[in-house]
Amino acid sequence: MLVRILVGLVLAAVVVLMLIFGGWLQCVLFSLAAFACVYEIATVLHRNGWKSFAAPVYVFAFTYYPVTLYLGEYWLLLTLVLCVLFLIGERVLNKQRTTEQTFVSMAMLMYPMSLFLFIALTHRMTVFDVNRTALLMLFAVPCLCDTFAYFIGTFFGNHKLCPAISPKKTVEGSVGGLFGGMLGGMLVYFLQGIWIKDSDFSMGLIPLLLLGLCCGIVGQFGDLFASSIKRWCGVKDFGTIFPGHGGMLDRLDSILVCAPLVFLFFIVVNDKLTAFMNSLI
């Protein structure tokens, strides 16, 4: 447990530095994270007998973030389409390739790569201060949810949540995770004042609490889905890069499924919900 805590603190420090400096550092870290996740899931699928042609997926993992950040959303879509078309063409022209391998490769473009896209899109939001708040929300909420679920489940868990997928997860831990998610929303609300000086760009407490609760729910589904893949492939973790935590995908599984929710919230929902709550005051 001590190793898990220490590694978690180091990862938290890396996230903080990434949010402070942004730019190329953030771009490189997310590209490497996507590459690592593709490698991990390709490896465990291969062990289970599901081979793939992962080269186009690796290319997309390395390029999706800089393309989105410096060229725009339309170039991102074009890059994705070109990777899919390359997989299709390669299957037709390569007599050694099987349709199964091509479909496994396309599945990896869907999971995890399609979820990584929303992290890049969140970074590309026009107001940099809002980008920082959104990205901090994206990391803080799932991580606090996981932390609370782990410790409350370890010390107080008695009722199994989903034993067929993850035998160690408990109902008590899941409820604790929801509180952790809301705490994450509250934490982001107070921390945003460090970089946001214009009140027009600050996020309200109640919207962030609701987003924290929703991410707490969605993030746990993402964690369980990743666990179902590992159970299907007969592995405990996707990798061993982070002692006590597993691989990159083990660390990002709940964050990735929260990315579309956080992106849509900051783009669409927040303004409307904040206006509604203000009308009640």
Side-chain angles (χ1 to χ4, degrees):
M1 183 177 293
L2 178 60
V3 173
R4 181 184 178 93
I5 294 173
L6 292 176
V7 173
L9 291 175
V10 172
L11 292 176
V14 172
V15 170
V16 170
L17 291 174
M18 179 186 66
L19 293 177
I20 292 175
F21 292 102
W24 271 104
L25 175 62
Q26 191 164 298
C27 184
V28 169
L29 288 177
F30 276 123
S31 296
L32 290 175
F35 182 88
C37 286
V38 172
Y39 173 79
E40 289 172 354
I41 197 167
T43 300
V44 297
L45 288 174
H46 183 78
R47 290 176 184 173
N48 202 45
W50 295 86
K51 298 180 180 180
S52 64
F53 174 52
V57 189
Y58 286 127
V59 170
F60 189 62
F62 264 133
T63 59
Y64 83 100
Y65 210 92
V67 166
T68 306
L69 186 59
Y70 297 103
L71 296 179
E73 295 85 351
Y74 294 115
W75 285 96
L76 170 66
L77 180 60
L78 177 61
T79 305
L80 176 60
V81 170
L82 288 176
C83 288
V84 173
L85 291 177
F86 187 86
L87 284 170
I88 292 173
E90 199 273 344
R91 168 62 188 95
V92 173
L93 297 176
N94 185 354
K95 296 181 180 180
Q96 304 301 317
R97 184 70 57 208
T98 66
T99 303
E100 175 186 284
Q101 292 172 349
T102 301
F103 265 99
V104 171
S105 302
M106 289 185 176
M108 289 190 294
L109 283 174
M110 179 62 65
Y111 183 88
M113 282 314 306
S114 70
L115 300 175
F116 270 103
L117 303 188
F118 286 95
I119 300 179
L121 291 172
T122 300
H123 187 187
R124 189 172 162 76
M125 286 191 298
T126 54
V127 181
F128 181 63
D129 291 340
V130 177
N131 297 349
R132 283 185 171 182
T133 303
L135 288 172
L136 180 60
M137 193 76 183
L138 178 58
F139 280 91
V141 170
C143 289
L144 282 175
C145 177
D146 288 346
T147 301
F148 271 67
Y150 175 78
F151 285 104
I152 291 179
T154 298
F155 294 107
F156 303 105
N158 292 310
H159 302 87
K160 298 298 182 182
L161 176 66
C162 197
I165 294 178
S166 185
K168 293 185 178 181
K169 287 183 171 56
T170 64
V171 175
E172 292 82 0
S174 178
V175 174
L178 299 182
F179 282 104
M182 295 181 70
L183 179 62
M186 181 181 298
L187 179 66
V188 172
Y189 171 76
F190 290 108
L191 289 178
Q192 68 179 338
I194 298 175
W195 56 83
I196 293 183
K197 306 304 180 183
D198 189 340
S199 60
D200 291 336
F201 293 141
S202 63
M203 305 294 116
L205 175 59
I206 294 179
L208 288 181
L209 286 176
L210 291 176
L211 179 59
L213 177 62
C214 292
C215 286
I217 297 172
V218 173
Q220 292 188 56
F221 275 95
D223 192 356
L224 288 169
F225 177 71
S227 295
S228 70
I229 297 176
K230 290 183 286 187
R231 196 167 185 82
W232 174 51
C233 293
V235 297
K236 181 181 181 296
D237 295 313
F238 283 109
T240 58
I241 188 172
F242 301 126
H245 293 263
M248 183 68 72
L249 191 52
D250 293 291
R251 191 60 273 167
L252 295 180
D253 52 11
S254 57
I255 293 173
L256 287 174
V257 295
C258 288
L261 182 62
V262 172
F263 173 74
L264 292 174
F265 172 85
F266 277 86
I267 290 296
V268 179
V269 178
N270 180 72
D271 291 340
K272 296 181 179 180
L273 185 56
T274 301
F276 173 73
M277 296 306 302
N278 290 336
S279 68
L280 300 179
I281 299 177

